[in-house]
Amino acid sequence: EPSHHSLSLLISFLTSPGATMPSMSLSLSRATPARGARVTRAARRLTPPSAVASDPSSKNASASPYVKPPVELKKVTFAEAMGFAGAGPEKINGRLAMVAFVAAFGAEVSTHETVSQQFGDATIPVIGTAMLFAVASLIPIMKGAIDEPMGPFNSKAELVNGRLAMLGLSLMLYIENQSGKAFF
């Protein structure tokens, strides 16, 4: 559906004999969406720069040629975030497993101690790191933040890597428990 500006240009061109069209800026895009309306990424990419420049509500019209509508964040309670269907448990456990696996690998390579020996040597720092990562992961979830993909870094990749880290850490703990010596 053409915008009102495009229609007025077309009507003025058709009704005035011998007149030439003032500019060829007819837009095939949709009119700027209402404030708070949900817009897909494809629609944001296809919004022409002229629509941004003519939109008085756009605060940074000169900074970006594309309109990004304001996103309303849905706040989540602690019970919803940490519930069975909540985003918290798997995301937090995955992040903790990724940190633990990398830290355990680094410490095993340098000290040749098992994970349980490492935990016994530095109980307070390990618990503190786990609490810090858990809280830092939970706050954005409770605020309703949306995970924006950034190339290969996206939510799906994070979940897959977290699951692999949980399996790897569990397997490493099992093997070290059975053998009594460091895996790496």
Side-chain angles (χ1 to χ4, degrees), residues 135-150:
V135 170
S137 297
L138 188 60
I139 290 173
I141 292 170
M142 289 181 65
K143 287 186 174 184
I146 299 169
D147 291 333
E148 290 287 330
M150 205 167 62

Side-chain angles (χ1 to χ4, degrees), residues 8 14 17 21 29 42-43 46 52-53 63 68 76 93-94 99 105 116 119 124 135-136 144 147 160 178 180:
S8 65
L14 293 174
M21 196 163 209
S29 70
L46 296 176
V52 176
K68 283 193 175 182
V76 179
N93 288 334
V99 169
F105 171 77
S116 53
F119 184 75
I124 302 294
V135 170
D147 291 333
V160 169
Q178 294 299 317

Side-chain angles (χ1 to χ4, degrees), residues 91 147 149 152-163:
K91 188 172 279 195
D147 291 333
F153 304 107
N154 56 47
S155 293
K156 187 174 181 178
E158 182 182 14
L159 286 178
V160 169
N161 289 334
R163 290 171 183 167

Side-chain angles (χ1 to χ4, degrees), residues 3 25-32 42-55 61 64-67:
S3 67
S25 65
L26 287 177
S27 173
L28 297 177
S29 70
R30 294 184 181 146
T32 306
R44 266 189 256 142
R45 283 194 303 265
L46 296 176
T47 304
S50 60
V52 176
S54 66
D55 183 13
S64 172
Y66 301 104
V67 176

Side-chain angles (χ1 to χ4, degrees), residues 9-29:
L9 284 175
L10 183 61
I11 291 169
S12 68
F13 176 74
L14 293 174
T15 56
S16 27
T20 59
M21 196 163 209
S23 70
M24 294 302 290
S25 65
L26 287 177
S27 173
L28 297 177
S29 70

